[in-house]
Each structure stands twice: as structure tokens, then as C-alpha cells.
Amino acid sequence: MVVYLSCSLQMKMLVILMALMTFQSTISYSPCRSNYCPPIPEKERIIVGREFPLKNVGFVEHGCHCRQHLNIYTICFNFKDRAIPCQRFPTNVKVLTSILILKSTFITEIVRGDFDNLKNVEDMTIDGNQKLLNIQPFVFQNMTKLTTLSFIFNPSLLSLHPDTFQGLVNLKELNLVKNGLHSIQQLSVTLKANILPKLYKLNLNENVFKNISEFDFQPMEGSSLEELNMILCGIEHIHPRSLKPLKKLAALRIGENRIDFDLLFDMLHESLDIGIDLQLLDLSSSGFRTYKHRSLFEIVAKSNISSLILARNQFDVLDNETFPFFMPNLISLDLTDVSAQSINDQAFTNLPNLRTLILAKNKLSFFGASKQLPKLTYLDLESNTDVFGGEFFLTRSEFKEMRLEYLSLENTRLILLIRTDFGNLPHLRILNLKKCDILKIENHTLEGLQKLKVLNLEDNRIFRTWEMFHLEMFKGLGNLEEIFLGGNDITTLTTTSGYLLKHLVNLKYLGLRKNSIQRISHRDFATLKQLRVVDISENYLLAWDSRVFLNNNIEKLDVSVNKIAYLSGAMLRDFQNLTYIKSIIIRLFVTVESKMRWVQIK
Ligand SMILES: *[C@@H]1O[C@H](CO)[C@@H](O)[C@H](O)[C@H]1NC(C)=O
Ligand SMILES: *[C@@H]1O[C@H](CO)[C@@H](O)[C@H](O)[C@H]1NC(C)=O
Ligand SMILES: *[C@@H]1O[C@H](CO)[C@@H](O)[C@H](O)[C@H]1NC(C)=O
Ligand SMILES: *[C@@H]1O[C@H](CO)[C@@H](O)[C@H](O)[C@H]1NC(C)=O
Ligand SMILES: *[C@@H]1O[C@H](CO)[C@@H](O)[C@H](O)[C@H]1NC(C)=O
Ligand SMILES: *[C@@H]1O[C@H](CO)[C@@H](O)[C@H](O)[C@H]1NC(C)=O
């Protein structure tokens, strides 16, 4: 899961989706029991936002600089001056946050005692330290609260002392990604069950481990490990019984390696026979082709695997022979970028319990299996057409036969949306139509989406035709809470056609960035009593002289990158109750208003 520490409004959609995903991706890999099962993403590295002012928390010590971002994280890095590089951990830093990031320093060694003052840190990332060669044993000894530890892209780090992780009694997640580690055997000695009694996730992606032999994981016997990731590790050989010591393993991500199919199948067979009850299997980019590798599905069919990731293999035609075995346990299937050109209506008959299906980055012109997926709630069809004319046919896709709660068609060409395209989708909560080249949404098209909460229409061209044909695009969306209308060349929210947003009476979030709006008035928002957040950045907005947010109780407003030349009394009154505002001329404003908790100066 991506941890977005930046709270920019543009990220809101993602954050919402992530929040929905977090809902399901709990610590253990038991199959999803609710009817809504989004994919379980692999946790990615922390993205450090530079949006907000950083507070210094450590003066420059050994050329290292430490700053605190709100109350969320502390980051220590190499100070600009290369003459005094950051070569040792700055032990004087006062870390008040639970997250600490040590990034892009010239530290060569982490010395015992360096981390003794970090008793309250729960999540620590050591990222991009090119020169880091050695970590002394017992350095984490006093960090008993640490639950997540990440060493990412420290290419000089070739090995670890057996006592490196002593003391991390609460560590749950260890990411050792893209370092110079090359021996599983050496590593597993550091990860013994008595050293890391709570370890449940180990991520070893992007190291090079050519050969994994029978006893490499032996030192981890008795480990509580549930998830093991070894994506892109150059693995050529894996002993069929190598996973035997990892009895609790439930999730295995082993895609993008060079393991021979027979060897891989042997290993999976053996692991299941030994009693390793896999729930999630990631074999992305492993060279599988339609029809050729039936044994894979034979293995999945006899297992309890509920989530199967086969992205970037070759399944050009999905028909009644693609999944030849009955797989009632399969709940989530990821077929991203498998060159799929067509789906036969019988393709998924052996997967009666599928709830999540990802078909992004394929070449489908319609979805032909709507009738065979009675339980599907999450469907991702992003990026299925190219820019050279291909079009995706919604009406032929017959989504109305389904119980979808989430549908994404982002970056798939739709052009015209008509009444029969979606029909009645009474369960749909999130619809993503970003960048679909939509020119027109006819009357009644969205009326059957009574439960829709989030609608993304960013980067289309819907405004001209709305105005020209007097359309009522959003009629029926009385439950909608968030709408994203950025990049649609909207010039005004009110025309002779009426008020664009009138029907969205429950709207809380309104995204209008990157349009061409000059003026707004209180009539534009008159029916939006629940409105809390408005992003109208990157428009041509002028200062306004009479109240706009008269009947609303908005909390956050982004009016940055506009043509506002002065602040009127009406604007000040509009801003009175805001907890957040982003604007160019806010500097003036800060002295006037004391109620605001934090202010962004751009
Ligand atoms: C760290 O832990 C060791 C062993 O438990 C203890 O002797 C030492 O005093 C601790 N150091 C600090 C700074 O708390
Ligand atoms: C892998 O390593 C084991 C143990 O070191 C060795 O016996 C085996 O021959 C190696 N296999 C390959 C294919 O290199
Ligand atoms: C699948 O789960 C069932 C019930 O929990 C269990 O009895 C069975 O052994 C599991 N199958 C495998 C292959 O682990
Ligand atoms: C798949 O469909 C084809 C053509 O409709 C049919 O000939 C074939 O027997 C089917 N295969 C299976 C496994 O049902
Ligand atoms: C769409 O509906 C509105 C309001 O009912 C109506 O005024 C308009 O003429 C309709 N547009 C079309 C193209 O049918
Ligand atoms: C600000 O909030 C107070 C208390 O909730 C309310 O009475 C007042 O009308 C609000 N002012 C504006 C400008 O919305």
C-alpha cells in the first residue's frame, strides 16, 4: 500500500481508493469474506511529499540535516554542502514522530548506539544510501516499538550480521528491497523466529538470489512469516522443498524471475503437499501462455489460493479453455497487461466466486463475460484502447447484468455516453471515467447509478456539449459525495442550460482544477449544502465581490494558480470558517484571520 503523506487535493481520489483498499488488506491473508474484495496491493515505498513546510528538528550534525513534516514523519538527509557529507547518523536528533526516514546520506556504517534514542519510532526507512556498507550488530536493540523496517536501495549493503535485528521484538514487516543482498541462507540466520517473533511480512524484491536451495530458509523454522516477496530477484533455480520451514506462509510473490516452469510447478506442488496453505500467489511476468500451462491452474484448483496475480503473461484470447479447472476458491484475479484481445462469454465459468477482476492494459474493445460473473464487484478495465482510433463499446459490455460496486475505465476511449450504456447499476459506488475521451454524456445516462458515491470525469471534454444540448448529465446522482471534473475546459458552472451541479445535493468534494472558470457565484453552489472541500486551482478565477459560499459550510478551498488580484470583504467572509486554504495571495490574509489552523503559501 502506498502511504501518501502528502495531502494535496489532487491525490484525494487515490487516497480514497487506497482507504477503501486498506479496509480489506488486513495483516493476514485469509480470503476476503465480504462481497467487496478489492485487490491486495503490495506495499510500496513511502512517497515523501514536499507540500508542507518542514520544521527543523536537528541542527546540522556530521553534515546531516533532520526535518519534521507536520506530526507525521521526520526525515534526515545529506545537507546541501558536499564538503561536509552526512557520514554518521545524527544521534542528537529529537524524533517526535513515529516515522523516521534516513534518505540519501553518505553514511557508511550504522554504529551500535546510533539508534538508542529512537525508542518511540514505529516505522523506519533507510532509503537510497549509496555508501552504506555495514550495520553493526544490536543497533536496533532498544527499538522495541518498531513494527516496520525498510532498507531500500542501499546497493553497497551486501550482507548482514546474524545479530543485526536483535531487539526488534515487535517487528511485523521487514522490507529489504533493492540492496546488494545475495544469499538467502545468510539472511535467514538474521531472521530467526526467536529474534523476530512477530515477523509476518518479508519483502526481498530486487535483490539477486540466483539459486535457492533446500535448506536456505532452514534457520527460519518456526517463523510466523505469512508473506514472502521475491519479485525480480533473478531466481533461476528453486528447490521444491525450500519453503518447508515457512509453515505459516500464506502469500508468495515470486514473479519476474527466470525459474523453469517445471521447477516452479514442482515447488508449488511440494509446498502445498507439505501443508503450506497459500492464499495469494503472484506469478506476474513469468512467461505463461494460454493453453500451454494448464498445470498451473491444476495447482491453483487443488489449493486454497484466493488471489492469483498473472499480470504481464500472455493470454491473448480468454475463452472456455483458458481456465480448464473448477476454481471455486478464486476470489481475485489480476490479468493486467496479458495482451488479451477478446473474452468469450464462457471464459470464467470455472471461477464462480470471482469478486475482483483486473484486466487493465489489454486490447479489449468490450467486456464479453458479464453474465458469467455473478459475484464480481470490482472490475478494472483501465487503458484498453490506444490513441489510434480504437473505441470501447459500453453497451455491448452489458454491465447492467452485474453487481459491480467499483468500475474503472480510465484511459479507455468511450467518446459518447448514452442512456443504455450503464443502464441500472444499483450497487455501483465508484466509477472512474478519467481520460476516456468523452465528448458527450446524454440525458439519463447516469440515472441508474443511485448509490454512486465517487465519480471521476477528469480530462474529458464534456462541457461544450452539456452547454450546447442543454443536457442534465448528473440527474439521479443524489447520493454522490465526490466528483472530479478537472481538465474539461469548463468555463462557467451556470449557463442557459441551467446549473451544472444542481442535482448533486449530497456532494462533499468538488474537484474543478485545470478548467477555464473565471467567475463563480453563490447560485452555482446553492443546492450543495453538504459541500466541504472545493478545488478550483489552475483556472482563470477573478476576485469576487459578493459572497459565493453563502449557503455552504466549506472547510477546505484551493484557489491557487488563478487570476485573483485582491481580496474583497466578501472573500474574507467566505474564507472565515476554512481550516485550509491554498492561494497565492494568502500572505495578506494570514494577518487578518486567526481561525485558520494551517496555511499554504505558494
Ligand atoms: C539499550 O538497551 C540495552 C540492553 O537492554 C541497555 O543496557 C541500554 O541501557 C539501553 N540504552 C538506552 C539508551 O536506553
Ligand atoms: C544450487 O545450490 C545448491 C547448494 O549450494 C547446489 O547443490 C546446486 O547444485 C545449485 N543448483 C544450481 C542449479 O545451481
Ligand atoms: C484448504 O483449507 C482447508 C480448510 O481450512 C484445509 O482443510 C485444507 O488442508 C487446505 N488445503 C491446502 C492445500 O492447504
Ligand atoms: C469450448 O467451446 C468450444 C466452441 O464453443 C467447444 O467446441 C469446446 O468443446 C468447449 N470446450 C470446453 C472445455 O467446454
Ligand atoms: C435533456 O434534459 C433537459 C431537462 O429535462 C431538457 O431540457 C433537454 O432538452 C434534454 N436534452 C436532450 C438533448 O434531450
Ligand atoms: C461559521 O461557522 C459558524 C458556526 O458554525 C456559523 O454560525 C457561521 O455562519 C459560519 N460563517 C460562515 C461565513 O460560513
Side-chain angles (χ1 to χ4, degrees), residues 439-454:
L439 291 174
K440 186 176 172 188
I441 301 176
E442 288 193 347
N443 279 355
H444 311 295
T445 303
L446 305 174
E447 251 172 42
L449 315 181
Q450 304 117 18
K451 286 224 184 107
L452 200 66
K453 291 232 177 318
V454 181

Side-chain angles (χ1 to χ4, degrees), residues 360-393:
K361 295 192 188 159
N362 283 298
K363 300 190 172 77
L364 301 169
S365 57
F366 69 100
F367 182 74
S370 321
K371 296 198 176 100
Q372 297 298 329
L373 291 161
K375 297 208 173 148
L376 201 75
T377 53
Y378 186 107
L379 179 58
D380 178 344
L381 287 163
E382 289 180 11
S383 304
N384 262 280
T385 50
D386 52 35
V387 284
F388 307 110
E391 192 184 332
F392 189 90
F393 300 101

Side-chain angles (χ1 to χ4, degrees), residues 440-578:
K440 186 176 172 188
I441 301 176
E442 288 193 347
N443 279 355
H444 311 295
T445 303
L446 305 174
E447 251 172 42
L449 315 181
Q450 304 117 18
K451 286 224 184 107
L452 200 66
K453 291 232 177 318
V454 181
L455 175 61
N456 191 336
L457 280 168
E458 275 181 325
D459 301 324
N460 287 291
R461 291 178 284 165
I462 51 172
F463 180 72
R464 260 323 123 67
T465 51
W466 167 71
E467 199 184 7
M468 200 186 297
F469 298 103
H470 302 283
L471 297 171
E472 294 272 20
M473 291 188 285
F474 303 137
K475 202 166 166 204
L477 299 182
N479 283 313
L480 199 72
E481 293 181 0
E482 322 223 346
I483 194 164
F484 296 77
L485 291 170
N488 273 289
D489 206 20
I490 298 171
T491 54
T492 167
L493 300 174
T494 306
T495 67
T496 48
S497 320
Y499 303 103
L500 182 67
L501 309 170
K502 182 176 68 185
H503 298 289
L504 307 178
V505 293
N506 259 309
L507 202 67
K508 295 188 169 72
Y509 177 92
L510 172 61
L512 288 166
R513 57 183 278 271
K514 270 196 168 162
N515 281 296
S516 312
I517 300 168
Q518 267 200 346
R519 288 171 207 285
I520 46 177
S521 99
H522 76 270
R523 284 184 298 270
D524 298 335
F525 309 102
T527 56
L528 314 183
K529 302 274 193 251
Q530 306 301 323
L531 197 60
R532 295 291 176 269
V533 186
V534 179
D535 177 4
I536 193 167
S537 58
E538 298 178 68
N539 278 274
Y540 303 118
L541 204 59
L542 303 167
W544 56 92
D545 290 316
S546 41
R547 290 287 303 275
V548 169
F549 300 105
L550 200 53
N551 304 307
N552 322 95
N553 197 1
I554 61 166
E555 289 164 2
K556 298 184 183 180
L557 178 66
D558 187 344
V559 288
S560 58
V561 197
N562 274 293
K563 305 266 179 226
I564 299 172
Y566 64 93
L567 274 167
S568 65
M571 288 166 78
L572 286 179
R573 278 194 298 280
D574 274 343
F575 298 162
Q576 204 169 41
N577 284 354
L578 294 180

Side-chain angles (χ1 to χ4, degrees), residues 359-366 380-387 390-394 397 399 408-417 432-438 460:
L359 283 162
K361 295 192 188 159
N362 283 298
K363 300 190 172 77
L364 301 169
S365 57
F366 69 100
D380 178 344
L381 287 163
E382 289 180 11
S383 304
N384 262 280
T385 50
D386 52 35
V387 284
E391 192 184 332
F392 189 90
F393 300 101
L394 285 175
S397 306
F399 295 125
S408 178
L409 289 153
E410 180 170 332
N411 204 24
T412 286
R413 260 183 117 209
L414 301 176
I415 306 178
L416 179 64
L417 296 190
N432 182 2
L433 300 175
K434 180 174 173 162
K435 217 172 165 198
C436 290
D437 213 0
I438 301 170
N460 287 291

Side-chain angles (χ1 to χ4, degrees), residues 287-335:
F288 293 114
R289 300 184 69 99
T290 333
Y291 312 134
K292 273 198 161 170
H293 300 106
R294 292 167 60 97
S295 337
L296 169 66
F297 297 112
E298 202 179 340
I299 294 168
V300 175
K302 79 166 195 181
S303 76
N304 287 327
I305 291 170
S306 63
S307 183
L308 181 62
I309 300 155
L310 292 173
R312 298 182 297 285
N313 287 288
Q314 283 272 327
F315 292 87
D316 17 358
V317 177
L318 300 169
D319 63 15
N320 62 343
E321 318 224 322
T322 310
F323 305 105
F325 301 95
F326 189 56
M327 297 190 273
N329 290 329
L330 208 59
I331 285 172
S332 173
L333 178 62
D334 184 346
L335 294 171

